[in-house]
Amino acid sequence: MREYIIRRLAYSAFTIFAIATILFVMFRMMPGDPTAQVISPALDQVAQDRMRHAFGLDQPIYVQYLLYLKNLVTLEWGRSFTSSEKVFDILVYRFWNTMLLMMAGLLLTFAIGISLGMVMGWRRGGKLDLVATVVSLIMQSAPPFITGILLLIVLSYRLDLFPTGGMSSPGNRPGDLLHFMFSADFLHHLVLPTLTITAYYLATPMLIMRDSMLEVLGSDYVEFARAKGLAPHKVMIRHAARNALLAVVTISSILLGFAIGGQVIVETVFSWPGMGQAMVEAASRHDYPVAQASFLVLAVIVIVMNLIADISYCWLDPRIKLGA
Amino acid sequence: MNISRIKRRQFLKASAAIAGSAVVGGLPSKGWAAGKPVEAQKLLTATAQFDPVRPETARLISQAAKQVGFDIEATPEDYNLGIQKVIKEHDYDLFLVRLTGQSVRIDPDVFIYKVHDSANYRAGGFNWTGYKNADVDKLAVAQQIEMDPVKRQALVRQAQVLIDADQPENVVVYPDMTNAYRSDRITDLTPQMGEGIGSLWTDVSMKVIPGSGSGYVRTGATVALKSLSPIAVNDANEFKELRMIYDSLFQVDPTGKPVPWAAESYKQVDATTIDVTLRSGMKWHDGEPMTANDVKFSFDYQKKWKAPFFVSSLAKVASVDVTGPLSLRFKLSEPYAPLLANLFSALMLIPEHIWKDIPEKVDVDDPLNYPNLKPVGSGPFKFDYWDRGKEMKVTAVPNHPFAPKCQGIIRIVYGSHDAMAAAIEQGECDRTRYILKPDLMQQVNKVKGCVGKGYPSHGFYDLSYNLMKPPFNNKTIREAMQYIIPRDLIRDVVLSGFAHSGGSVIAPINAFWHNPEVKAPSQDLEKAKKILAAAGFTWEAGKLHYPA
């Protein structure tokens, strides 16, 4: 077990290094001169050289790369080309905004997914099973920007039930985070993006829960619980569902990693000031420090989530044997 | 062009220039393949995502050109890539770009000198067509050093005639600034040329209707705020936000004329000496008084650290001397006519007591890398906060000479034009800062309490030709293009009527500098064919061929 974990950690570290390098190369291969976007071509050559120097873009590319790797390790991620703020500060602020939305979306996804999946498995072939499968698959196939825009058009633009975007009303600022999180204004703004995330990711936990239920329902101990004369809902929840949950738990961390990446679209549709929005802005402005760091943070989250999934799987389920 | 309307002298001069400008583009008079088909051309422009107007306009031009046997193909590409190819590498055939009507472009220097002087044909220069006309060069330089506005006006107007006759580019249309606001929330919006109701003059003039909610005007934008540094700022959108907080000596007024702002008065002693007196009682937002020393410091500091936006104009300022607590004398290294409009009206005044320690006492080695997260200026609005990606809030300063009539402004970022339009319709946003897509105007106007309107601008959609190679080194082709471009159709269909048909590089709305004698024709394909035929062009199987 210990050897396995060490090996997985080493793989992950190497993957992160490889991603960091790919990111460095990728952003520099993007069409257009970075300086044309960060540094307006409308400026004089002298002014452009001046800015290039300030950003360190006048250094040879390998020097830029070595500096980049060094800064990566020391968590000294430099300053944004556009606002001159420290990249770290920008990302911390953006990260929490993303997490707020993410957590709300995934909690709802799992709550609905698990309960529906449980009932669907219990009443296999029933009306609910059929309808929920079809609907969730349709929602999963529709890109989140379609779902998001449809929700906006109907519930916001037409019926005026929800705001059109943002995290809170203009001028309404969080005092402290906890207070803000439970303010009516924030929750009001949270509804539509949360629904969009839920609609998109619902199918995965729901169908896995359903399949897992079916597997568990065929087992002897469920048969035995029924034979004991327990009430059906007790058998379903206590005996079947609790065991069936294992499969959902293991995919949850992978789903979380994916969902954070998927935030880019949801945040753009709902003008949500999170990491996804920061990534789009930074990439379109060739703001290398911010773009590189935000993509990297994302990659690290996905890798760490995968690592946790792998490790937790063999920890939760003793039947999994580790390769020699 | 209606020749009879041009003064005879100007016409003669123009003809002489044309005769002399067989050298336009620096190629010999026959730089094309005689008798061969005219080469197919690519019209480079931005993608619909960047600006929906451009690919549509490019397609209409392409269709029209094909009708006279001239193969032009619209090729929308990433904006940055286009800029790179055109401005930096000069590797293109035709380029359709929007030269926006920023206030620094009201002064004719940009459109006459920067765009047309042959010295600006270089990597990164604004004369990317390769235009070269010795007479225009002379006028472009002369207008820059002519300090008498009336004499300068004559030079600028003359240059427009010459440029129009050479057609190094075509001014397709002058698009309006399409803005929207809630008329049930705010009144007294003073628009400015080129900036519509997103201007500083609107910021200080608008009033919130009592009882309609908060006294803060919620101003929407689709572009996120980039920086709060008055030193590092390098694009016109950033200026719009920062000049609420920072004063400058002058401001360009709604009609395009520079007027004293933080300055009370100015006097031109001679062509290179200007005396400026500051208003008394001006204060920095931290309570310190603003003095002539601060102004001198602002100029010296930005010159020393080469503030990118002002590098070239500050080079013309030889010295700034304090002559009294509120008075200064500026010495120029040479006369510089755009001084008031493009330097005094743009350079932001910064407090010496704060910036003297930057970068020494902060953790950066260059002021360009200083984020200035708590800006202290002397402007009509005081900075409250900036939540990145969300909003910035500023509050009115009641004792400012141009004290705002509203309580303050909250600048909100929206993910798209559609989201911003929806926010206005829902009453979540009171006013747009920049353009709202023209095709959303109609929809906005259907909602009670919402107004969508076009405000005239001196900016334009510019179709520039690469004059350094065939076929556009051939003047006849450029002349014919004038009659090929369906500018009225573009105005009415692509821009939903929120535009004016093009003509001179100085727009009619910029009345003082505009030459009313320069007019562009409407589309007339027959006329285009006649012009080409008269110059010996022929058609084979419907394709245009060079004269044998």
Side-chain angles (χ1 to χ4, degrees), chain A:
Chain A
M1 182 78 177
R2 200 164 131 210
E3 193 196 324
Y4 172 76
I5 292 178
I6 291 173
R7 203 168 63 227
R8 291 287 293 126
L9 280 174
Y11 283 161
S12 302
F14 179 76
T15 314
I16 290 171
F17 165 75
I19 289 175
T21 305
I22 292 172
L23 281 175
F24 181 86
V25 176
M26 204 173 70
F27 279 109
R28 276 151 188 84
M29 276 171 53
M30 264 165 75
D33 183 353
T35 49
Q37 183 51 221
V38 183
I39 304 170
S40 161
L43 295 175
D44 285 326
Q45 200 59 43
V46 196
Q48 294 187 26
D49 294 344
R50 168 83 184 84
M51 295 187 72
R52 213 166 276 136
H53 176 70
F55 297 148
L57 288 171
D58 55 348
Q59 308 254 34
I61 199 96
Y62 71 92
V63 177
Q64 289 185 41
Y65 178 63
L66 290 178
L67 262 175
Y68 164 75
L69 286 185
K70 181 187 145 237
N71 292 346
L72 209 67
V73 178
T74 54
L75 291 184
E76 182 55 58
W77 293 346
R79 288 173 180 276
S80 156
F81 282 172
T82 54
S83 73
S84 308
E85 287 170 282
K86 288 193 173 149
V87 172
F88 196 83
D89 295 349
I90 296 179
L91 290 190
V92 166
Y93 165 83
R94 298 285 195 159
F95 179 77
W96 288 115
N97 288 347
T98 292
M99 286 315 274
L100 281 178
L101 175 55
M102 201 64 263
M103 285 307 156
L106 288 186
L107 277 179
L108 192 66
T109 305
F110 279 105
I112 298 179
I114 290 170
S115 0
L116 277 181
M118 179 178 72
V119 180
M120 284 159 73
W122 187 255
R123 295 189 195 147
R124 182 185 184 180
K127 259 188 203 157
L128 178 76
D129 192 13
L130 184 74
V131 172
T133 307
V134 171
V135 170
S136 72
L137 286 177
I138 290 175
M139 290 193 303
Q140 193 184 32
S141 320
F145 61 87
I146 302 267
T147 322
I149 288 171
L150 283 178
L151 284 174
L152 271 178
I153 290 177
V154 177
L155 297 178
S156 175
Y157 303 173
R158 294 258 179 259
L159 300 176
D160 201 7
L161 295 174
F162 295 99
T164 56
M167 218 168 114
S168 56
S169 300
N172 184 6
R173 253 197 134 198
D176 61 301
L177 186 66
L178 210 64
H179 203 256
F180 178 69
M181 267 172 66
F182 292 102
S183 67
D185 184 48
F186 170 69
L187 295 175
H188 197 204
H189 281 78
L190 189 65
V191 175
L192 292 186
T194 302
L195 284 179
T196 309
I197 293 174
T198 305
Y200 188 58
Y201 293 109
L202 184 64
T204 312
M206 190 179 83
L207 294 181
I208 286 185
M209 183 67 187
R210 174 185 175 274
D211 289 353
S212 182
M213 274 297 273
L214 289 178
E215 208 177 298
V216 170
L217 285 177
S219 62
D220 295 344
Y221 62 87
V222 172
E223 204 60 36
F224 186 71
R226 276 185 177 143
K228 276 200 298 189
L230 288 178
H233 72 270
K234 277 190 181 161
V235 179
M236 177 173 85
I237 295 169
R238 279 202 202 151
H239 294 263
R242 277 172 75 177
N243 284 297
L245 263 180
L246 183 70
V248 181
V249 172
T250 50
I251 59 118
S252 65
S253 56
I254 298 177
L255 193 67
L256 184 69
F258 272 114
I260 290 185
Q263 283 291 92
V264 174
I265 293 167
V266 178
E267 286 178 8
T268 306
V269 171
F270 291 98
S271 313
W272 192 273
M275 279 230 309
Q277 199 198 47
M279 276 162 67
V280 174
E281 271 171 33
S284 64
R285 288 172 181 169
H286 290 249
D287 190 346
Y288 293 163
V290 178
Q292 280 166 177
S294 50
F295 276 87
L296 196 70
V297 166
L298 202 80
V300 169
I301 291 175
V302 174
I303 290 169
V304 169
M305 289 298 166
N306 272 307
L307 187 69
I308 293 176
D310 280 1
I311 293 173
S312 68
Y313 202 62
C314 59
W315 178 67
L316 281 174
D317 191 342
R319 285 170 300 181
I320 308 269
K321 287 240 168 59
L322 298 174

Side-chain angles (χ1 to χ4, degrees), chain B residues 183-199:
Chain B
S183 56
D184 54 0
R185 274 276 295 157
I186 47 177
T187 59
D188 298 80
L189 294 102
T190 307
Q192 182 180 12
M193 182 203 303
E195 299 199 355
I197 54 164
S199 77

Side-chain angles (χ1 to χ4, degrees), chain B residues 181-322:
Chain B
Y181 67 97
R182 295 285 315 195
S183 56
D184 54 0
R185 274 276 295 157
I186 47 177
T187 59
D188 298 80
L189 294 102
T190 307
Q192 182 180 12
M193 182 203 303
E195 299 199 355
I197 54 164
S199 77
L200 179 68
W201 298 94
T202 321
D203 294 345
V204 297
S205 74
M206 63 191 173
K207 290 178 189 154
V208 174
I209 294 171
S212 68
S214 145
Y216 284 80
V217 177
R218 296 162 300 176
T219 299
T222 51
V223 186
L225 189 59
K226 283 195 286 189
S227 164
L228 290 176
S229 165
I231 309 296
V233 58
N234 66 42
D235 85 36
N237 289 342
E238 302 296 296
F239 274 99
K240 282 190 172 157
E241 310 305 334
L242 282 172
R243 72 187 172 198
M244 297 193 290
I245 302 166
Y246 289 98
D247 279 325
S248 51
L249 286 175
F250 277 67
Q251 275 299 338
V252 175
D253 82 356
T255 63
K257 197 171 150 242
V259 292
W261 181 266
E264 186 178 68
S265 61
Y266 86 110
K267 196 177 143 212
Q268 193 173 314
V269 182
D270 60 48
T272 54
T273 313
I274 290 112
D275 283 346
V276 171
T277 309
L278 294 179
R279 288 177 198 275
S280 60
M282 297 281 288
K283 276 193 167 39
W284 299 105
H285 296 151
D286 60 4
E288 299 281 324
M290 184 209 261
T291 66
N293 284 322
D294 288 311
V295 177
K296 174 180 165 53
F297 175 81
S298 303
F299 279 81
D300 291 349
Y301 186 88
Q302 302 197 42
K303 189 171 179 178
K304 176 185 165 197
W305 288 104
K306 299 198 172 81
F309 202 82
F310 302 105
V311 176
S312 56
S313 48
L314 276 174
K316 317 252 185 198
V317 178
S319 67
V320 184
D321 292 307
V322 173

